[in-house]
């Protein structure tokens, strides 16, 4: 993804280069940005324990001096006009809504600044009813690639590149380990809420196992139009 934006072997580093990772979670991608770009990254999330874990990981990897954490609602992020060189948002833009997020972030990206974000997207037409019904309930705004590209253009960006994350990105770090941990697990007592959550997790994994051909995360790499 970074090579699409900046080219092989090049680093857009300078004394004032600023990167912002919005909705960073525990920050696997934050660490990658700091290491690969060699710049300071501000990591934003509204859950302090995630940021604490990111800080621990950054210290362990010798990257603490490059990463600043900020516990803030992503809807409130506003570092000022035209001050950011790169905005990164893996799996988080949907929280604001894709058009709303792209317009908000455009307001503080420098002319020619870059944005990388992932979005759950329909990859093919004709998904089975069970798949459509699941996402109709869980994520109604989900749309196809062409619609996302139209939104990108309307919000003042040009597309640098895009690609679909492989199925291994779903299974190896997430669904696989999660499924193993859930084998034989039953919530204690009569916790109906916990049972409902457990049932939804099992259903989500089953939906991906059966219908991954029709949907996936698409990584969009953009540059602001100047």
């Amino acid at each position: 993804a970074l090579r699409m934006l900046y080219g092989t072997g090049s680093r857009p580093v300078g004394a004032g280069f600023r990167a912002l990772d919005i909705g960073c979670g525990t920050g696997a991608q934050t660490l990658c940005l700091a290491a690969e770009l060699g710049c300071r990254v501000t990591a934003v999330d509204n859950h302090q324990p995630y940021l604490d874990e990111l800080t621990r990981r950054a210290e362990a990897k010798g990257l603490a001096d490059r990463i600043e954490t900020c516990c803030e609602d992503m809807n409130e992020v506003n570092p000022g006009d035209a001050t950011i060189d790169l905005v990164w948002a893996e799996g988080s833009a949907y929280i604001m809504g894709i058009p709303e997020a792209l317009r908000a972030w455009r307001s503080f990206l420098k002319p020619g600044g870059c944005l990388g974000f992932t979005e759950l997207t329909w990859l093919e037409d004709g998904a089975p009813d069970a798949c459509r019904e699941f996402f109709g309930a869980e994520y109604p705004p989900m749309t196809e690639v062409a619609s996302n590209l139209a939104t990108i253009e309307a919000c003042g960006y040009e597309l640098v590149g895009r690609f679909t994350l492989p199925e291994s990105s779903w299974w190896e770090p997430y669904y696989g380990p999660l499924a193993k941990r859930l084998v034989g697990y039953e919530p204690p007592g009569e916790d109906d809420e916990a049972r409902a959550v457990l049932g939804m997790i099992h259903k989500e994994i089953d939906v991906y196992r059966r219908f991954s051909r029709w949907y996936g995360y698409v990584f969009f790499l953009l540059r602001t139009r100047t």
Side-chain angles (χ1 to χ4, degrees):
L2 289 173
R3 284 195 295 270
M4 284 186 178
L5 289 176
Y6 299 115
T8 304
S10 63
R11 285 185 171 187
V13 286
F17 189 92
R18 298 183 65 189
L20 189 62
D21 184 4
I22 298 179
C24 65
T26 56
Q29 70 291 332
T30 315
L31 298 171
C32 180
L33 291 170
E36 292 296 319
L37 298 178
C39 69
R40 288 189 60 82
V41 182
T42 300
V44 179
D45 203 280
N46 67 352
H47 189 54
Q48 186 61 47
Y50 287 164
L51 298 176
D52 293 340
E53 175 63 13
L54 170 55
T55 297
R56 186 193 67 78
R57 292 181 178 184
E59 291 172 348
K61 290 182 176 291
L63 294 171
D65 62 330
R66 297 185 189 175
I67 295 173
E68 175 187 8
T69 62
C70 177
C71 189
E72 188 172 20
D73 186 326
M74 64 191 300
N75 290 281
E76 304 300 322
V77 173
N78 187 0
D81 294 339
T83 59
I84 302 297
D85 296 274
L86 173 66
V87 169
W88 206 257
E90 292 195 34
S92 61
Y94 81 96
I95 295 171
M96 295 175 66
I98 299 304
E100 292 80 5
L102 266 56
R103 285 193 292 266
W105 301 340
R106 177 71 178 82
S107 70
F108 52 73
L109 273 165
K110 292 180 179 178
C114 294
L115 166 63
F117 77 98
T118 60
E119 171 63 352
L120 193 61
T121 303
W122 291 114
L123 303 177
E124 293 188 22
D125 294 332
D129 289 345
C131 183
R132 288 279 179 182
E133 289 169 3
F134 178 81
F135 287 105
E138 295 301 313
Y139 187 36
M142 182 172 163
T143 188
E144 69 282 353
V145 171
S147 180
N148 283 316
L149 293 178
T151 298
I152 287 166
E153 182 176 3
C155 290
Y157 298 85
E158 61 183 27
L159 181 73
V160 176
R162 64 179 170 89
F163 60 92
T164 302
L165 296 184
E167 291 192 10
S168 60
S169 296
W170 294 71
W171 288 114
E172 292 175 8
Y174 185 50
Y175 282 156
L178 181 59
K180 288 180 181 179
R181 293 182 66 180
L182 293 179
V183 172
Y185 173 76
E186 289 292 335
E190 298 182 359
D191 190 335
D192 292 338
E193 183 177 354
R195 291 182 185 280
V197 171
L198 181 63
M200 179 54 68
I201 293 172
H202 281 298
K203 184 174 183 180
E204 181 181 332
I205 294 173
D206 182 60
V207 166
Y208 190 75
R209 183 179 289 114
R210 295 164 60 196
F211 304 125
S212 60
R213 165 186 167 185
W214 283 278
Y215 70 95
Y217 270 100
V218 177
F219 217 129
F220 296 96
L221 289 309
L222 319 178
R223 184 173 290 112
T224 60
R225 293 201 297 268
T226 56

